[in-house]
Amino acid sequence: MGSTRAIGFKHGREARQEILGSLNFYKEFFLSFVMLSWHEACGIAERFLPTLEQGWPDYVEEMRGVAAGSSVPFSSILVLNVRSEIAFGDGCTALSRTDDNTSILAQNWDWQHEQKENLICLRIDRHGKPSIEMITEGGIIGKIGLNSAGVGVCLNAIRARGIDFTRLPCHLALRLCLDSDSREEAVVGLQRAGVASSCHILIADAGGGIGLECSSIDVVEIPMTSEGLVVHTNHYVKEHPRVEEITFLEDSEARLAKISMLARVSESPDVKSVQLMLEDEEGYPAAINRQRTEETSIETLFSIVMDLGSVTAEVRTGRPSEVEDKLKLQPNNRDEGGAAWIGVMDQGKPSDSNSRKQLHHDDAHLPREKLPSDLQKLVDNDDSLVDQLYDGSAADSTDTALRYAPYLARARTILSSAHRYVAYTSDIGESFRPVAHPWLIRGAYGISWAYLIGDVSHEGYKAYLRNQRILHPGVPGVTSVRASDARDSHPSTDASGFKPGHVPAIEDYRSVMAQRAVFQSVASMGLPAFTIHSIVRYSGRALKDVKNTRIRSYGPIGLGLACVPLLPYMFDQPVETAVEWTFHKAFEQIGGPEAVAHRPDTGRSEILQEQSRKGAVKEKEL
């Protein structure tokens, strides 16, 4: 038997590689799906801490143990355990079937193929609580499985708006179920705690099953039918007033109908017959037995069928029709000493449950090891400029120090004043030659134009990524459309089952580039050039009678340089507002309100930045 922290420590130590793999996977997933950096994800996750520390301190302590054992920050482990509250999750098919002799609980778990190598089989033994065996992702302390009291739990992701930081995150809600001695105790616990975000939790024991459709504001029960059946996929089947659901898998209803039909025609539930149901490929590739395609890497990663009467489960890794390996869960079978153990499911090859490793519990921690540089960068929450540029969510360059690059060209006019009065009106090359090499001035202009071209290209690239997320949701690298982006959905779907959306004309990446080019031409080149040249020219005239040659020669240069830091404050906001208003009115006049997505005349950049920071929280991406 192990203490809470010791169990977490063993989890972290034994599954360190899978935990690091999960961190890398979700870092990329959050960036591509909700344009959220790891640092921002940690900030969201930490908002759950007051609730968790007050209501479920053992879960916090176990996660701290996982962090210590794997030598990663606690905030990163917390993110993994609230990952469904940050970005939408797995698409699955689950059922519970009960008769007088048997109670079966089963599920196909569908998720990104890349995460398969980070799955583990986790067993937990503690004093005074049921032993647990579950299949989970490295670092997550609650998932799909059963306990020694014969209570099993499955999960279906649902996409709906809303998140409540005072309720229990859905993966920790699964853990609460596995810590319960009965189905009734689990239901009462979840109804009392509430669930922070949308999902369906299917709970069963030897007496039968019950579904709980959860949102951030309610928990609605789905009782067994007269046939002893509860089935669910990835959409609400009950009414949830004041909850706005967004269907993200169009095949969900078809899978629900199919699994319902298969379960009803089955004469008596048993492990073998249910395993056959989970192999069904009607609607391929988006079937109960899901297959990844060129458009999406989502597929069935494992299938689990639990016999809650005998308190055992059979797990098949890979697609049920293409089994890679098998594992049997038996939470009632303890080793002598009752130590916790972890079986790593390495590419579908779980470790032998007969060779469970013993954990000796003490307060000593393993020596901290230096992580590889790329992983150290991840856990240090270092959001590099390259990462931000790649995912399309970096801040506008006008909000960074790069904004001052185009003003290097103003040195041409400022330095030219050194050649007395002729410097302000004569041929530039001839007037500048006495004080600086002509290539210096040309180089300054080259830097300015390079910045301008680069900035326009960068803004176009970010807009292109946003366009692709709307037009091709579910595709790795341009992964799915966010709820706020797909305002006008097209009725058809792509092969992943996500709805493609419509890109308003003003948000087309070419329109964005044109607007940005106009802004940069006016705010970075035209107005600053006129301003600096005027300051240098007229200050030179004002100082022409000064006897001190240094003041007369370099005074205009100093005045010009002093104005450079003020240029963004003088021109950026007015020019941006004017250009944005002009483009908005032009598109609205030509294409109507649909062309501008019914957005206000100005404030586009603020809207995009707000979506990038808070879209996942406000819209609960499943």
Side-chain angles (χ1 to χ4, degrees):
M1 299 288 179
S3 68
T4 299
R5 189 177 182 90
I7 289 171
F9 186 84
K10 179 173 175 62
H11 177 170
R13 182 183 64 185
E14 298 292 332
R16 183 171 184 266
Q17 191 62 39
E18 287 69 31
I19 292 170
L20 295 179
S22 290
L23 293 176
N24 272 331
F25 172 80
Y26 282 109
K27 178 190 178 187
E28 295 301 322
F29 182 74
F30 293 158
L31 281 175
S32 63
F33 189 81
V34 290
M35 293 185 289
L36 205 64
S37 72
W38 193 254
H39 176 74
E40 291 169 317
C42 289
I44 294 171
E46 287 168 358
R47 295 180 64 182
F48 282 104
L49 262 185
T51 295
L52 296 177
E53 288 177 332
Q54 181 177 1
W56 298 273
D58 283 353
Y59 294 166
V60 176
E61 190 67 9
E62 186 172 334
M63 287 187 285
R64 292 191 187 279
V66 175
S70 58
S71 300
V72 303
F74 165 71
S75 59
S76 291
I77 300 301
L78 184 60
V79 168
L80 292 180
N81 283 273
V82 302
R83 58 99 164 162
S84 290
E85 280 64 40
I86 296 174
F88 98 100
D90 9 327
C92 311
T93 303
L95 77 148
S96 167
R97 177 75 189 277
T98 306
D99 64 11
D100 294 337
N101 302 312
T102 312
S103 179
I104 299 292
L105 178 65
Q107 171 171 357
N108 275 356
W109 189 66
D110 305 339
W111 193 216
Q112 306 279 354
H113 173 77
E114 295 79 6
Q115 184 63 350
K116 180 168 66 172
E117 63 185 12
N118 299 319
L119 291 175
I120 62 173
C121 176
L122 175 64
R123 179 185 175 101
I124 299 174
D125 287 328
R126 297 143 307 159
H127 288 288
K129 291 185 179 181
S131 296
I132 298 170
E133 289 191 12
M134 72 177 92
I135 306 300
T136 186
E137 302 165 81
I140 297 180
I141 67 171
K143 197 75 174 180
I144 300 161
L146 74 167
N147 67 22
S148 57
V151 178
V153 66
C154 294
L155 173 68
N156 300 102
I158 296 174
R159 182 178 181 182
R161 300 183 193 277
I163 185 171
D164 188 339
F165 293 99
T166 66
R167 295 176 178 236
L168 194 59
C170 73
H171 277 87
L172 298 182
L174 296 175
R175 175 59 179 271
L176 184 149
C177 295
L178 292 171
D179 282 334
S180 302
D181 288 311
S182 68
R183 168 176 42 120
E184 291 78 11
E185 180 184 331
V187 171
V188 170
L190 287 186
Q191 289 176 332
R192 182 183 297 119
V195 180
S197 60
S198 56
C199 64
H200 170 260
I201 297 176
L202 183 53
I203 311 167
D205 60 13
I210 185 171
L212 297 180
E213 285 191 342
C214 307
S215 75
S216 62
I217 62 174
D218 64 11
V219 176
V220 179
E221 295 185 9
I222 303 177
M224 286 189 296
T225 66
S226 59
E227 301 161 304
L229 183 63
V230 183
V231 295
H232 213 282
T233 50
N234 301 108
H235 65 281
Y236 285 135
V237 298
K238 292 288 187 178
E239 291 294 325
H240 293 260
R242 300 182 294 116
V243 176
E244 183 180 354
E245 180 185 7
I246 305 168
T247 300
F248 78 101
L249 287 174
E250 287 297 310
D251 55 82
S252 180
E253 293 187 7
R255 285 185 286 116
L256 182 64
K258 183 63 176 179
I259 195 66
S260 299
M261 185 272 290
L262 292 173
R264 287 193 178 97
V265 300
S266 176
E267 294 182 0
S268 178
D270 59 62
V271 172
K272 296 301 181 185
S273 65
V274 174
Q275 285 178 333
L276 288 174
M277 296 179 199
L278 297 179
E279 294 177 11
D280 188 82
E281 293 186 326
E282 183 175 308
Y284 181 93
I288 292 173
N289 179 14
R290 188 179 290 273
Q291 171 69 60
R292 73 181 187 272
T293 66
E294 292 182 357
E295 289 75 26
T296 176
S297 65
I298 297 176
E299 69 175 4
T300 300
L301 300 188
F302 73 83
S303 176
I304 182 170
V305 180
M306 307 174 221
D307 184 337
L308 300 176
S310 64
V311 194
T312 60
E314 291 192 15
V315 180
R316 298 185 293 174
T317 61
R319 298 181 66 233
S321 58
E322 301 171 2
V323 177
E324 298 174 4
D325 215 317
K326 298 179 181 180
L327 175 68
K328 191 166 187 177
L329 305 186
Q330 299 174 289
N332 274 326
N333 284 2
R334 289 181 178 171
D335 293 327
E336 281 187 39
W341 64 279
I342 289 181
V344 177
M345 301 178 66
D346 185 7
Q347 296 182 353
K349 295 182 179 180
S351 62
D352 185 357
S353 61
N354 294 320
S355 60
R356 301 173 183 176
K357 300 177 182 178
Q358 300 299 313
L359 172 63
H360 301 285
H361 309 298
D362 53 43
D363 293 331
H365 287 180
L366 292 178
R368 296 182 67 87
E369 300 176 10
K370 184 174 179 62
L371 294 174
S373 59
D374 57 335
L375 293 177
Q376 188 64 54
K377 173 182 167 184
L378 165 64
V379 300
D380 287 343
N381 300 324
D382 180 14
D383 305 311
S384 71
L385 178 61
V386 174
D387 288 339
Q388 295 182 26
L389 291 175
Y390 177 78
D391 87 318
S393 62
D396 283 351
S397 58
T398 53
D399 296 329
T400 70
L402 290 175
R403 182 69 184 96
Y404 294 94
Y407 303 124
L408 290 176
R410 307 306 159 239
R412 173 182 184 273
T413 306
I414 296 170
L415 294 178
S416 296
S417 64
H419 191 42
R420 304 181 67 144
Y421 313 125
V422 182
Y424 311 114
T425 56
S426 301
D427 176 69
I428 295 300
E430 290 299 322
S431 63
F432 192 79
R433 190 168 296 172
V435 294
H437 195 284
W439 280 108
L440 179 63
I441 309 306
R442 295 171 189 170
Y445 261 95
I447 293 173
S448 294
W449 282 109
Y451 162 79
L452 190 151
I453 295 170
D455 180 76
V456 171
S457 300
H458 169 53
E459 290 301 312
Y461 176 66
K462 291 197 296 182
Y464 176 79
L465 289 182
R466 291 192 296 269
N467 292 173
Q468 293 305 302
R469 291 187 184 98
I470 296 173
L471 297 173
H472 305 290
V475 178
V478 293
T479 318
S480 306
V481 57
R482 293 169 48 187
S484 58
D485 293 330
R487 289 179 168 80
D488 304 307
S489 297
H490 193 277
S492 62
T493 60
D494 68 4
S496 68
F498 292 88
K499 284 186 175 182
H502 168 69
V503 178
I506 200 169
E507 291 297 334
D508 184 274
Y509 72 96
R510 290 159 293 194
S511 302
V512 171
M513 292 180 70
Q515 182 173 329
R516 191 68 172 186
V518 172
F519 165 78
Q520 288 288 11
S521 298
V522 176
S524 295
M525 302 301 287
L527 289 177
F530 174 79
T531 301
I532 297 298
H533 186 82
S534 298
I535 289 173
V536 171
R537 179 181 181 183
Y538 291 108
S539 63
R541 289 183 179 180
L543 297 174
K544 68 179 181 179
D545 293 326
V546 174
K547 294 182 179 180
N548 189 307
T549 56
R550 291 184 178 272
I551 295 177
R552 188 173 67 241
S553 299
Y554 296 102
I557 296 175
L559 290 173
L561 289 173
C563 290
V564 171
L566 303 177
L567 293 175
Y569 302 98
M570 295 168 59
F571 299 127
D572 280 5
Q573 187 60 45
V575 173
E576 183 179 26
T577 300
V579 172
E580 189 174 353
W581 183 88
T582 302
F583 270 73
H584 187 282
K585 290 300 181 184
F587 275 92
E588 188 176 36
Q589 186 68 28
I590 297 172
E594 297 296 326
V596 294
H598 301 277
R599 287 186 175 179
D601 296 348
T602 59
R604 171 184 171 275
S605 61
E606 288 79 5
I607 291 173
L608 291 177
Q609 290 174 17
E610 185 70 12
Q611 289 174 350
S612 177
R613 288 192 303 267
K614 300 181 179 178
V617 177
K618 289 187 176 181
E619 299 174 5
K620 173 32 186 74
E621 301 287 356
L622 194 61

